[in-house]
Amino acid sequence: MRSPEVREEPTPDGSGAPGTPARRVLLKGTAATVGLPATGLGAAGQAHAAGDRTAPRRPVRATARMGGNTVTLSVVDGALRWSVHHRGRTVVDTSVLGLGLADGTVLGADVTVTRSRSRTTRSTWNPVYGRAATVTDHYQEQRWDLRDKASGTRFGVEVRAYRTGVALRYVLHGPGSVTVADELTTFAFPDGTTVYSARDEDAYLPVAPGSIPVSGTATTDNGPLTDLPLTADLTEGLLACVCESARLNFPRLMLRSADGQPGALSAYLMEHTARGTGPVETTSTVTAPFTTPWRAVVIGSTHAELVDHADLVLNLAPPNALADTSWIRPGKVFRCELTTAAGLAGVDFAVDRGLEYIEYDAGWYGPEFTTPDATTPIAAIDLPSVIAYATSKGVGVFLYVNRLALTDADSLFGLYKSWGVRGVKLGFINDGTQSMTNQITDWARTAAEYELLIDMHDDVRPFGHERAYPNWISLEGVRGNEQFPTATHNVTLPFARNIGGPIDYTICYGQSRDRTTNAHQMAMAAVYYQPLNFLFWYDKPSKYANPANWPGLPWFNAVPTTWDESRTLAGAIGEYVAVARRDGDTWYLGAMTNESSRTLSLPLSFLGRGTWTATVYGDGTPGANPYQTPVVVGTRTVTARTTLDAAMAPAGGQAVILRPS
C-alpha cells in the first residue's frame, strides 16, 4: 500500500507566495482596499483597475499558459468573458462568465478589475492508489478581483492552465452569506464540434452542442440537459472533456444547450436530486469567503492523450484529509448470493482467484425499498460466521445499503466497524442538490472515521473527492456493464465518464447476454480505471469449477486494480482503445474495439531493456454471437522494439500480460 500523498512546497514565479489568502473585503457596500499593485494588465487595464472613469473601456485581458494550453480572462465593455486554446486551436471560443445571485444581481455583466495576480507552481504528490504512483501538479494561474458596478459586490475569478487542460472557478469574498441562484459559465465550442451526451444511465449520444435531447420529469430537472463528464470532439483529433472538481457545499453541475447558440453549452446548477426525491433547492446559500467548484476542461491533442490527462481532476481537488490510510486497500470483489453457504464459498473463491473482497448486495437485510433497517441480516445469512471466516482468510467483506437505511450513518457505520466489515456499497444515491453534495461528502468522512471503504452507486457523478477521502474508492454514475451495453458504449467510456474519476463497471466475463466477446470483457480490467473492481458479475463459484473451460481466469487472477504507471497507446472515442498499465515490473495491456473488427499496431517502446514474455489472450474465430467467440491464449518473446499487432473480432478485445524474462 502506498503512503498518503505528500505535497512539496510549490515554486512560485515571483508574483506572490502560494497559499497567500485572498484579500477579504465586505461583499457589498464597501470600498475596495487594494493591497498590491495590479499585475498582468496592460496600461488600459491598469487605469481601469485604478478606477479612472475617464479612461476608454478598452478590453482587459489576462492569460495563463502551460504546455500549449492557454486560458484567457477578458473584460470587454464591462462584460466578463473567457476563452481556451490548445496550440493556437480554439477549444472554447470567447464565452460568458458569471454568477446570478438570488437578489437579482448578475456578477459578470458589468465589472471592473480591481486587482490581478499570477503565479506558477510545480509540485508532486503520491496518491494512496491511482492511475500512477506519482502525480505532477504544475500550472500557471491568473486571479482577478472584480467589482460589480451596479451593486458594488466584490467577487473574483481564477483560471489555471496545465499541460493536461485548464480550469476555472469563482471566488465570493466575505464575510457574510451569499445566495447563488445560477451559474452563467458558457462553453462556446468551435463549428463542427460533436459532444457525447448522456444523462443518468442513458447510453452516450453523439450530437451537436445545440441538440442535447430534452429529458427529465415533473420531479427532476427538465430540459436539454447532459451530465458530466461531457466530452467534445473538436475535429482533427482534438478532444476536450468538461468535468468538475472540488465540489463542496454546492449543487452538481450539468450542461444544457445554450439558447440561440447552436455550438454552445451553458452551466446548469441542479435544483432537484438526480432521480427526484428530496426537497427542491432553487438556490444555494454559502458563507463567504467561498470558492465554487472548479470547472475543468481536460484537453488531449489526440484521443489517446485525453485519457492520460485525467489527473487534472485530482490535481484540482483538496489534498488527502486522512492522517492514516494504511487500512485502505484497493482490490477485486466477488458478489455472493444471499446465503451463509454462498458467502463461505465466495471467500474460498476469492482466495483461489486472488480477489480481495466479497460482497453481499441488495436483500441481505431484507427488501431494500421497504426495509429501512440495515442492522439485522436475513435468516439465511449467518453474517458473523461469514465475516469471521473471511477475516481468517485475509478477505474483506462489503455490505450493500440502500439510501433509505442511511438515516444515521454514524451509528450504522460504527456498527459495521464492530462487526469487522471492510466496506459499504451505497445504493440509489440521489446526487444533485447542495444538500446532497453535503450528504455525500459527509458519508465519505463518516465512513473514514470507522475505516470503511465506500462505493456509491446509481446517479452519482465524480468530482475528485477520492483524493481528499481516498476511502471513497469507487462510484457508478454510468450506464453499467450489468445492462449489457454495446461495444461502442464500452469504448466511449475511457474518453468520457472515466476521465472524471473511478468507475464501478461490474465486468461480466462469460455471460451469454454479453454483446461483446470474452476477451473484450477481460480487457476492461486494464482499460478502465477501477480501483474497486467487481468481477464475475452474475456468476457463482461453481461456474468456474473446471478452470480449463475458462482460459481467461489467469488474467483475472493476476491483474491488479491500482497502478504505478499508465499509458494510453491508441484510441478513438466510440471506436477503439488500447491502454497499458504497470504494477511493479509487470505491464497489463488491454485493447477493445467497437462492433467493427480491427487490428491495432501497438509499439511496445514503453518496456524496459531486455526481453519480455507476452502472454496474449485474444479473440478466436468469431462465433454466431460475440459472446460465443472463444478466448485463445498464446505467448511470445518481445522487446521495447516490438510492435504488437492486436487483432480483434467485432465487439472484441485483447488482454496481454508483459513480464520481464
Side-chain angles (χ1 to χ4, degrees):
M1 178 56 59
R2 300 173 186 157
S3 60
E5 64 179 65
V6 177
R7 292 190 66 91
E8 299 174 1
E9 284 298 314
T11 304
D13 65 350
S15 59
T20 302
R23 176 176 48 84
R24 297 186 178 186
V25 298
L26 292 178
L27 186 66
K28 292 188 178 182
T30 309
T33 303
V34 180
L36 292 173
T39 61
L41 298 175
Q46 291 178 10
H48 224 64
D52 182 358
R53 297 180 181 276
T54 65
R57 300 186 70 183
R58 286 182 288 175
V60 183
R61 294 187 176 87
T63 297
R65 298 177 172 85
M66 185 66 66
N69 295 319
T70 63
V71 53
T72 299
L73 291 172
S74 59
V75 174
V76 181
D77 291 329
L80 183 61
R81 299 291 187 262
W82 76 313
S83 61
V84 180
H85 292 82
H86 175 75
R87 303 193 187 282
R89 297 176 60 188
T90 299
V91 176
V92 177
D93 210 345
T94 302
S95 300
V96 171
L97 292 180
L99 294 172
L101 306 187
D103 64 3
T105 300
V106 178
L107 302 181
D110 194 6
V111 300
T112 297
V113 180
T114 62
R115 188 185 185 194
S116 178
R117 289 156 291 172
S118 66
R119 64 172 180 167
T120 300
T121 75
R122 181 184 177 93
S123 60
T124 59
W125 57 280
N126 306 112
V128 178
Y129 54 83
R131 307 173 202 246
T134 302
V135 178
T136 298
D137 188 5
H138 187 198
Y139 61 86
Q140 186 178 91
E141 179 181 83
Q142 293 284 352
R143 302 164 68 184
W144 272 3
D145 289 345
L146 302 158
R147 181 177 64 85
D148 176 63
K149 290 185 177 180
S151 66
T153 301
R154 306 283 173 172
F155 71 108
V157 63
E158 299 178 3
V159 293
R160 290 181 182 175
Y162 292 77
R163 180 183 60 83
T164 53
V166 303
L168 158 88
R169 70 177 176 182
Y170 302 95
V171 181
L172 296 169
H173 298 312
S177 63
V178 185
T179 301
V180 178
D182 196 9
E183 181 176 335
L184 309 178
T185 308
T186 301
F187 302 80
F189 295 116
D191 291 344
T193 294
T194 297
V195 297
Y196 286 77
S197 169
R199 181 170 181 179
D200 197 354
E201 293 189 356
D202 292 342
Y204 280 93
L205 181 67
V207 295
S211 301
I212 303 296
V214 173
S215 60
T217 68
T219 60
T220 64
D221 294 296
N222 200 297
L225 295 166
T226 181
D227 278 320
L228 301 184
L230 184 283
T231 299
D233 185 346
L234 308 175
T235 71
E236 298 182 16
L238 185 63
L239 245 62
C241 185
V242 182
C243 304
E244 68 175 344
S245 184
R247 172 165 42 105
L248 299 170
N249 194 30
F250 210 69
R252 186 170 107 191
L253 179 69
M254 299 180 78
L255 296 177
R256 64 176 293 145
S257 295
D259 294 338
Q261 300 180 70
L265 295 172
S266 58
Y268 180 88
L269 301 179
M270 293 179 69
E271 300 179 355
H272 300 75
T273 58
R275 294 184 177 175
T277 63
V280 178
E281 300 176 16
T282 58
T283 62
S284 299
T285 299
V286 300
T287 300
F290 179 82
T291 55
T292 66
W294 288 103
R295 286 32 181 131
V297 183
V298 183
I299 299 171
S301 58
T302 66
H303 294 216
E305 186 178 74
L306 181 79
V307 179
D308 287 343
H309 286 178
D311 60 8
L312 175 62
V313 176
L314 285 181
N315 270 328
L316 295 165
N320 182 13
L322 306 181
D324 176 22
T325 59
S326 60
W327 53 274
I328 296 176
R329 181 174 63 152
K332 296 170 284 191
V333 195
F334 178 72
R335 182 182 67 162
C336 303
E337 293 184 302
L338 302 179
T339 66
T340 302
L344 298 174
V347 171
D348 291 337
F349 182 71
V351 172
D352 291 342
R353 301 264 73 86
L355 313 181
E356 285 76 15
Y357 300 100
I358 64 164
E359 186 239 2
Y360 279 128
D361 213 275
W364 73 266
Y365 57 84
E368 61 171 326
F369 287 107
T370 58
T371 311
D373 178 9
T375 65
T376 305
I378 59 175
I381 301 175
D382 181 353
L383 192 56
S385 295
V386 174
I387 293 174
Y389 184 65
T391 301
S392 74
K393 298 290 187 178
V395 174
V397 175
F398 265 74
L399 295 178
Y400 174 93
V401 181
N402 183 280
R403 69 169 187 269
L404 300 180
L406 285 169
T407 54
D408 185 355
D410 187 78
S411 176
L412 186 65
F413 293 170
L415 178 66
Y416 289 172
K417 169 68 173 177
S418 72
W419 288 355
V421 172
R422 296 298 304 278
V424 288
K425 175 181 171 183
L426 307 184
F428 292 94
I429 302 305
N430 261 326
D431 192 9
T433 61
Q434 180 189 34
S435 294
M436 279 310 303
T437 295
N438 294 341
Q439 182 68 84
I440 286 168
T441 53
D442 184 65
W443 281 331
R445 178 190 56 77
T446 302
E449 290 178 0
Y450 294 103
E451 297 188 349
L452 293 175
L453 301 181
I454 195 166
D455 175 19
M456 293 194 195
H457 256 238
D458 298 288
D459 196 2
V460 183
R461 292 287 163 157
F463 52 96
H465 206 59
E466 69 272 15
R467 178 179 176 186
Y469 285 90
N471 63 303
W472 184 4
I473 195 168
S474 193
L475 64 157
E476 190 178 25
V478 71
R479 183 173 186 83
N481 194 45
E482 76 278 0
Q483 300 185 52
F484 307 106
T486 64
T488 294
H489 177 77
N490 292 338
V491 294
T492 300
L493 295 182
F495 310 93
R497 164 63 184 82
N498 212 189
I499 297 292
I503 189 171
D504 183 352
Y505 206 55
T506 55
I507 294 175
C508 300
Y509 173 64
Q511 288 293 323
S512 62
R513 290 174 287 175
D514 280 338
R515 299 162 75 177
T516 69
T517 70
N518 283 339
H520 183 103
Q521 294 287 320
M522 293 169 62
M524 290 178 180
V527 169
Y528 299 144
Y529 172 52
Q530 302 185 90
L532 192 73
N533 194 348
F534 281 77
L535 300 179
F536 311 111
W537 197 252
Y538 295 121
D539 283 345
K540 302 177 183 179
S542 58
K543 174 176 174 178
Y544 302 103
N546 185 355
N549 294 334
W550 302 101
L553 289 180
W555 161 265
F556 287 120
N557 294 352
V559 68
T561 67
T562 186
W563 309 97
D564 294 317
E565 184 180 356
S566 296
R567 299 192 183 197
T568 304
L569 308 179
I573 187 168
E575 296 184 36
Y576 60 89
V577 64
V579 179
R581 303 190 192 269
R582 179 176 62 83
D583 176 54
D585 61 0
T586 302
W587 286 88
Y588 298 83
L589 190 159
M592 299 159 59
T593 184
N594 60 8
E595 285 71 19
S596 298
S597 62
R598 71 181 77 237
T599 298
L600 298 179
S601 295
L602 305 174
L604 303 183
S605 55
F606 55 86
L607 295 177
R609 296 178 180 178
T611 60
W612 297 66
T613 299
T615 303
V616 180
Y617 301 84
D619 293 315
T621 302
N625 296 291
Y627 73 85
Q628 294 175 318
T629 300
V631 173
V632 294
V633 186
T635 61
R636 58 177 294 193
T637 299
V638 298
T639 71
R641 297 185 298 276
T642 301
T643 295
L644 182 70
D645 290 328
M648 296 176 285
Q654 191 167 115
V656 184
I657 302 177
L658 296 148
R659 295 187 174 96
S661 298

